[in-house]
Amino acid sequence: MQLIECPWCGPREEVEFHYGGQAHVAYPEDPAALDDEQWAHYVFYRDNPKGRFAERWSHAAGCRRWFNAVRDTATYRFESVYHPDQPKPVIP
Amino acid sequence: MSSSFRTPDGGRIDRSTTLEFVFDGQSYAGHAGDTLASALLASGRHSIATSVKLGRPRGIAAAWAEDPSGLVQIEEPFPEPMLLATTVELYDGLAAHGLPGQGRLADVPDSARYDAMHAHVDVLVVGAGPAGLAAALTAARAGARVALVDEQAEAGGALLGSDDRLDGSPAADWVASAVVELAAHPEVLHLQRTTAFGLYDDGFVLALQRRTDHLGGAAPRHEARQRVWRIRARQIVVAAGAHERPVVFADNDRPGIMLAGGARTFLHRYGVRAGSEAVVFTTNDSAYAAAVDLADAGVRVAAVVDARPEAPGHWLAACADRGIPVRSGSVVTGTDGDERVAAAHVAPLADGRPGDAEPIACDLLLVSGGWNPAVHLFSQARGTLRFDAALGAFLPAEELDGVAVAGSAAGVMDLAGCLADGRRVGAAALAALAVGAPAEPALPAADDAPAGLGPMTLWRVPDGGDGSTSFVDLQRDATVADLARAAGAGLRSMEHVKRFTTIGTAHDQGKTSGVLASGITAELLGIPIQATGTTTFRPPYTPVAFAALAGRDRGRLFDPERTTAVHDWHVAEGAVFEDVGQWKRPRYYPRAGEDMEAAVLRECAATRSGVGILDGSTLGKIDVQGPDAAVLLDRLYTNLMSSLKVGSVRYGVMCGVDGMVIDDGTVLRLAEDRFLVLTTTGGAAKILDWMEEWVQTEWPELRVHLASVTEQWSTFPVVGPRSRDVIGAVFGDVDVSNEAFPFMTWRDTTLGGVPVRLARISFSGELAYEVYVSSWYALAVWERLVEAGRPHGITPYGTETMHVLRAEKGYPIIGQDTDGTVTPHDLGMAWAVSKKKPDFVGKRSFSRPANQNPLRKQLVGLLPVDRETVLPEGSQIVEFRDDGRLPAPPVPMLGHVTSSYRSAELGRPFALALVKGGRARIGDTVHVPVGGTLVPVEVTGSVLVDPEGARRDG
Ligand SMILES: [Zn+2]
């Protein structure tokens, strides 16, 4: 069982967390202005990279707060955690 | 039985204590400190069981968990299958019998307790042998928080089974002093009888502590029998030792054939001679110690058969002193015997082939093919292994972050080396942690070991035949012939070979057979063993009972049980409960002689004609506060909430971004900046999460806060035409007239000083009031309502009646009448979808072409034409062609029944269903297959009772 670093609480057991999918997918400014394909991209389409992936996580059984994380999908390693309003960090 | 094989003294047993036990119906005696295996061997019994497939006699082949054959079933004091005689500590009253490979589960419940503990440490040391003790002492002296776990009854590891000396005294003295020192460190957790069986991510290790197994029937009942330790360690030192490996030859499975180190352990630890006349077959120096020690203990050693062309000089001398003939360059090619080995066939080895064999009589054949470091935990940590040709074994090939291997687990095979390696690895763990001062304890001096000869790697002795009695995995009855078949079938990967032959899949998970299978397969394929490698090591290292893994999480503690404040009242009234998520809800309240159908018909009729009361406390309740509370609700509900007046109530629907309904419920506006959102019972947690997600991740600028108040507020709908009388009687200060207190409004009042909120909300179509009160006072308020309702025949009803009443009105249950593909429009709730709001979650999806399809499934009512059949929920719906026949298979499915009940009000069964283009089919007859017949049903609108809504105001 992995430890996941909650940016508010510190490292906690992975069972305390919920996964929230790809990060930095904003709700469209004006959904009515989108055609069906553009809207479908917002609703259904997400990246699925092997390697680093910016994701949303929620410390569901802890502080109940959301945060973002860059995680390597091949190794499961969390490389960075950050607040939802922060930009995706540049990792060398 | 006599203990004719017990030595006159020595061993770590307590000879003053005699323990009686029964094996295979025969009475035996042993001593405290014995295992079942050592006590049987002391009585001269080797044979334990017959093998699983071939029925061949099998015995005790090792002294601990690596034994592949000595399986027993415990009968007393509590039935337990598939244990090894070598790891069952003897206790008085033990009754067991040998197992031919398959055990039998107890048919009575296990009354023992099991539990779990967490530990967080700087350094976890696995194994309390010389390397582990040295590592633990090093870490403890530096002030680190240390856990030391070891699977044996006492610390010492391999030292328990040897006559090694440290600083000129028995090694046990040093072990004892180390244990005393560790106990004095407040930050050290030292657990014996504790097996680290799994290593997971980020230093997480599961260990099983057997706390009272060794006490048998005398185990105190208040103490957990076994405990799973969940240890989170920053650094892990694996000092798990090594398993001796046999050599495969023909008929190598008879009782009396045993690993050499095992026989030495039985001698030194338990004071047991494993036989009276021994042959020792080895490929390395270590078995000579067994030969010499057994000879010194009075066993006649007929020969040491050393496969190497030359025997080590100092051991030759030691053997000569004792008159033990040494046959170097020779091998054992086979055995004779019936229930037990009677002779070993010994032949000289020439160019790798055995010559003519000569039988040597013996009742004990000791075998050593070298040692396999116990790299299981390292491998579970995904550490790679390499084959060390000099050692003839797989060793850790890399350094892992946070997981280090020490002592013989790392291929260090001498005592002084193990001590030094343990200290070195312990210090390295401290350095990685930057904990404490680097204090390296002085180590005791081991006796000088004369330089020996390197081992020879020998997997098997060719038997001249097909290898069908050359056993690789004794427990699976799998042989060299099976490996040859696997190779012949073209298998190259050991993972495939394992599954083809079943080698390594038994109780012992291949502790002795896994590497042998790799070596023999490599030989058969003509490739180096490096190329075959090993199979993957997986947890658990040794078997773990499900009861231990379950711990206390079973029975009523398996999942939290949530009960409402009125639960005891429901119990006293004889309610039948159903589980709704974790809640226990009354389903119906049967009277004498009533089944569910009768009770529900009665409850429905009483409510629609008089008054009923429901415990609706499980309804989800979310307190939404803040200046932007209305903005948030406008964005999340399909309808407009900001226009709701304080004091009023509105029904609302929530959709996902895909436009599909995820929950529904009512919303009370408590103040300009405060709402109470009601969700379904099942949706309570999900909808709070959903709202939090939007607030935190999308709209952090909104000034709004959310809190669950589900358990704070109990909720009692009082329902039916007489409900006004009941509410009016209990809350005399509230004007309950329809004019003063109209539908979809709420009022605050008090009852005996307790704040109460009343709301005109109806989930049945009847006049109804929901009573909200703090759960502290809920029972008293409930009892007052019931008391006031008595003159009106108030009837408590459960979830089943609630479902019937709401279904008669066509109110859907989200998750029962919907399945995540249903829009508000499909439910006939276009009226609940705002056309004024520019946007809300889900709105954009409504205009997708798929949502305009007139053939979408829509919620409708169904009335079985026979007025009798209650359609099973989930039933499919089909239609006949114009000619009155079914279409050719596959018959198109029009939809399915989502809710189905018998209605007291209608006097017939009815159902709700999702049907393709359902609203356009109203009035049609379709068919529902029920148990082989096609039941004709009429499609109706979804509202079957009081479609005009005439009853809602009383
Ligand atoms: Zn947190």
Side-chain angles (χ1 to χ4, degrees):
Chain A
M1 182 156 52
Q2 267 186 272
L3 288 177
I4 295 176
E5 178 98 14
C6 171
W8 285 279
C9 305
R12 295 290 188 273
E13 306 280 346
E14 71 176 77
V15 292
E16 295 183 14
F17 295 84
H18 278 180
Y19 182 63
Q22 184 174 359
H24 307 296
V25 181
Y27 187 75
E29 203 66 47
D30 181 6
L34 303 182
D35 64 26
D36 281 345
E37 189 177 332
Q38 289 168 321
W39 177 247
H41 269 274
Y42 166 71
V43 176
F44 298 114
Y45 285 62
R46 294 295 183 270
D47 295 338
N48 184 24
K50 178 181 180 183
R52 284 177 184 159
F53 191 34
E55 303 169 331
R56 306 186 317 150
W57 285 82
S58 147
H59 191 188
C63 64
R64 298 186 52 77
R65 295 180 77 172
W66 284 84
F67 60 93
N68 289 339
V70 175
R71 189 180 64 107
D72 190 314
T73 60
T75 64
Y76 300 167
R77 289 290 111 196
F78 281 73
E79 301 193 350
S80 168
V81 292
Y82 53 103
H83 293 193
D85 56 351
Q86 289 176 325
K88 183 176 164 180
V90 179
I91 298 172
Chain B
M1 289 287 289
S2 69
S3 291
S4 53
F5 290 88
R6 192 75 79 172
T7 58
D9 49 35
R12 303 191 61 77
I13 49 169
D14 173 9
R15 291 167 193 258
S16 67
T17 310
T18 298
L19 306 175
E20 310 278 345
F21 68 102
V22 175
F23 186 76
D24 276 353
Q26 201 169 346
S27 296
Y28 295 90
H31 295 300
D34 262 326
T35 61
L36 176 56
S38 69
L40 287 171
L41 289 175
S43 303
R45 176 155 187 162
H46 271 252
S47 200
I48 295 293
T50 53
S51 68
V52 63
K53 279 196 295 197
L54 304 174
R56 291 170 69 103
R58 293 284 162 77
I60 296 158
W64 188 246
E66 64 274 27
D67 184 7
S69 58
L71 276 176
V72 299
Q73 163 104 25
I74 305 238
E75 296 295 353
E76 298 288 343
F78 184 80
E80 200 176 350
M82 299 294 280
L83 297 177
L84 283 171
T86 54
T87 60
V88 173
E89 291 184 50
L90 194 65
Y91 45 82
D92 207 48
L94 171 71
H97 62 78
L99 266 190
Q102 283 174 337
R104 179 179 53 77
L105 288 173
D107 47 15
V108 292
D110 186 351
S111 61
R113 283 184 174 205
Y114 300 83
D115 68 10
M117 291 276 278
H118 291 262
H120 295 260
V121 298
D122 296 319
V123 181
L124 167 66
V125 180
V126 178
L133 284 172
L137 284 172
T138 303
R141 286 186 187 179
R145 182 178 287 186
V146 177
L148 170 65
V149 303
D150 183 273
E151 58 182 343
Q152 304 268 353
E154 55 178 329
L159 297 175
L160 296 170
S162 79
D163 60 351
D164 286 311
R165 299 175 74 80
L166 288 169
D167 283 344
S169 300
D173 295 352
W174 176 77
V175 171
S177 71
V179 168
V180 167
E181 182 185 337
L182 289 170
H185 286 284
E187 293 291 342
V188 172
L189 173 71
H190 176 193
L191 302 170
Q192 291 294 145
R193 298 191 175 96
T194 303
T195 306
F197 64 82
L199 191 155
Y200 305 85
D201 296 304
D202 293 331
F204 189 63
V205 171
L206 290 181
L208 179 75
Q209 183 184 18
R210 292 168 297 278
R211 303 175 75 216
T212 66
D213 292 75
H214 61 289
L215 301 175
R221 295 183 57 81
H222 64 273
E223 212 170 309
R225 181 180 178 211
Q226 296 182 351
R227 169 174 289 170
V228 171
W229 284 84
R230 301 169 180 162
I231 304 169
R232 184 71 73 167
R234 297 167 70 195
Q235 295 284 320
I236 298 167
V237 177
V238 178
H243 298 136
E244 197 165 22
R245 180 174 78 212
V247 179
V248 176
F249 47 84
D251 297 318
N252 59 335
D253 63 330
R254 296 187 202 283
I257 302 177
M258 185 183 285
L259 290 168
R264 195 166 178 242
T265 296
F266 282 120
L267 176 66
H268 290 297
R269 184 166 177 186
Y270 305 105
V272 171
R273 292 183 292 253
S276 46
E277 194 160 28
V279 168
V280 180
F281 173 31
T282 188
T283 64
N284 64 89
D285 286 5
S286 71
Y288 283 88
V292 165
D293 292 356
L294 262 66
D296 290 348
V299 177
R300 201 181 85 78
V301 180
V304 172
V305 180
D306 193 331
R308 296 172 295 182
E310 215 178 311
H314 69 285
W315 283 120
L316 271 178
C319 288
D321 287 349
R322 292 161 178 83
I324 302 171
V326 175
R327 299 190 180 208
S328 56
S330 296
V331 293
V332 170
T333 59
T335 63
D336 294 327
D338 188 6
E339 277 295 297
R340 179 157 173 186
V341 64
H345 302 177
V346 176
L349 204 54
D351 298 329
R353 308 293 303 180
D356 291 339
E358 164 201 351
I360 300 179
C362 61
D363 63 359
L364 181 66
L365 172 55
L366 301 185
V367 182
S368 178
W371 294 80
N372 293 331
V375 292
H376 303 67
L377 292 177
F378 175 81
S379 179
Q380 287 176 22
R382 300 195 180 83
T384 53
L385 305 175
R386 66 178 174 86
F387 186 76
D388 185 293
L391 204 60
F394 285 95
L395 293 179
E398 60 177 332
E399 301 213 338
L400 292 182
D401 222 16
V403 183
V405 186
S408 55
V412 179
M413 293 299 174
D414 66 299
L415 176 53
C418 282
L419 288 164
D421 199 45
R423 183 173 66 179
R424 178 186 66 77
V425 172
L430 289 173
L433 291 171
V435 170
E440 303 207 356
L443 294 174
D447 291 348
D448 286 340
L453 292 177
M456 170 181 174
T457 300
L458 179 68
W459 309 115
R460 59 161 178 158
V461 177
D463 68 355
D466 65 357
S468 60
T469 65
S470 293
F471 289 88
V472 180
D473 187 333
L474 271 63
Q475 214 178 113
R476 287 292 189 219
D477 271 340
T479 64
V480 170
D482 294 315
L483 286 173
R485 267 193 290 278
L491 304 184
R492 294 295 180 270
S493 156
M494 282 317 294
E495 299 290 357
H496 295 156
V497 171
K498 170 180 174 175
R499 283 148 186 88
F500 187 89
T501 61
T502 73
I503 290 172
T505 61
H507 172 279
D508 63 330
Q509 289 287 292
K511 288 186 179 61
T512 53
S513 60
V515 174
L516 280 178
S518 294
I520 296 169
T521 301
E523 271 183 19
L524 291 168
L525 295 174
I527 59 175
I529 188 172
Q530 291 89 327
T532 59
T534 64
T535 55
T536 310
F537 292 82
R538 292 195 184 87
Y541 169 71
T542 47
V544 179
F546 280 115
L549 294 175
R552 303 200 64 187
D553 301 332
R554 61 184 200 178
R556 289 195 64 195
L557 298 181
F558 177 69
D559 199 33
E561 259 180 29
R562 302 174 78 186
T563 55
T564 72
V566 196
H567 185 75
D568 292 347
W569 189 94
H570 302 317
V571 173
E573 289 293 312
V576 173
F577 289 87
E578 75 167 333
D579 292 339
V580 181
Q582 292 170 333
W583 288 103
K584 297 283 173 201
R585 297 197 68 180
R587 192 172 190 191
Y588 57 100
Y589 299 80
R591 291 185 181 162
E594 278 186 341
D595 59 8
M596 182 168 96
E597 186 176 298
V600 170
L601 286 172
R602 172 181 52 75
E603 291 173 10
C604 286
T607 302
R608 287 226 187 271
S609 64
V611 59
I613 184 168
L614 171 76
D615 183 359
S617 303
T618 64
L619 220 60
K621 303 170 204 83
I622 302 168
D623 193 342
V624 182
Q625 293 191 45
D628 293 322
V631 178
L632 175 68
L633 297 187
D634 272 353
R635 291 182 188 179
L636 293 179
Y637 278 102
T638 58
N639 43 356
L640 204 57
M641 289 297 174
S642 54
S643 63
L644 185 63
K645 289 186 174 54
V646 175
S648 286
V649 181
R650 189 164 286 167
Y651 173 80
V653 176
M654 276 193 207
C655 291
V657 289
D658 59 359
M660 303 304 159
V661 176
I662 58 170
D663 206 58
D664 72 340
T666 48
V667 176
L668 284 64
R669 189 161 204 170
L670 305 181
E672 278 305 314
D673 60 353
R674 187 171 185 189
F675 294 80
L676 182 67
V677 165
L678 300 176
T679 73
T680 57
T681 296
K686 185 183 75 178
I687 295 305
L688 178 63
D689 285 347
W690 173 250
M691 295 171 74
E692 276 286 356
E693 180 181 340
W694 286 97
V695 169
Q696 290 187 33
T697 67
E698 249 354 290
W699 307 313
E701 71 282 1
L702 292 185
R703 294 159 300 165
V704 59
H705 292 275
L706 310 164
S708 166
V709 291
T710 299
E711 291 177 355
Q712 282 70 19
W713 287 100
S714 291
T715 310
F716 309 135
V718 178
V719 180
R722 298 268 73 82
S723 60
R724 181 169 285 137
D725 301 325
V726 177
I727 296 297
V730 175
F731 305 100
D733 58 336
V734 178
D735 182 348
V736 294
S737 69
N738 194 50
E739 297 68 39
F741 192 170
F743 185 59
M744 292 306 249
T745 61
W746 61 268
R747 299 288 179 267
D748 275 350
T749 183
T750 59
L751 183 64
V754 174
V756 173
R757 179 168 296 145
L758 304 174
R760 282 275 314 273
I761 297 170
S762 180
F763 195 40
S764 59
E766 300 296 332
L767 173 70
Y769 297 80
E770 290 187 350
V771 180
Y772 292 79
V773 60
S774 159
S775 292
W776 289 107
Y777 305 103
L779 180 59
V781 171
W782 171 277
E783 285 174 337
R784 293 240 200 147
L785 291 166
V786 170
E787 194 54 39
R790 222 174 280 287
H792 308 284
I794 194 166
T795 300
Y797 66 88
T799 50
E800 198 64 24
T801 290
M802 176 190 82
H803 278 295
V804 178
L805 298 178
R806 63 88 200 170
E808 288 171 341
K809 287 289 291 178
Y811 298 149
I813 297 282
I814 307 306
Q816 173 169 338
D817 299 295
T818 69
D819 61 2
T821 66
V822 179
T823 67
H825 310 84
D826 299 336
L827 294 173
M829 289 188 179
W831 55 268
V833 178
S834 168
K835 298 189 174 55
K836 290 186 202 153
K837 289 194 285 186
D839 191 35
F840 55 83
V841 170
K843 179 180 169 83
R844 173 63 186 82
S845 289
F846 293 153
S847 58
R848 290 167 63 236
N851 281 2
Q852 313 304 320
N853 185 346
L855 288 182
R856 286 185 66 80
K857 288 183 184 173
Q858 295 163 337
L859 188 73
V860 293
L862 298 181
L863 289 171
V865 173
D866 65 5
R867 304 181 70 90
E868 189 48 48
T869 306
V870 181
L871 305 170
E873 289 172 357
S875 296
Q876 295 294 322
I877 296 161
V878 298
E879 70 179 333
F880 286 174
R881 295 183 313 201
D882 292 341
D883 61 2
R885 294 161 177 256
L886 277 181
V891 178
M893 301 295 166
L894 297 185
H896 67 280
V897 175
T898 59
S899 292
S900 178
Y901 311 98
R902 198 177 284 284
S903 168
E905 181 75 11
L906 301 171
R908 62 190 296 187
F910 73 104
L912 297 177
L914 287 170
V915 178
K916 278 182 187 164
R919 285 198 286 275
R921 292 177 176 273
I922 289 173
D924 290 359
T925 298
V926 293
H927 286 79
V928 175
V930 178
T933 59
L934 289 168
V935 177
V937 299
E938 182 193 343
V939 180
T940 70
S942 58
V943 186
L944 288 156
V945 169
D946 185 25
E948 311 78 31
R951 298 176 168 193
R952 136 196 130 182
D953 294 331

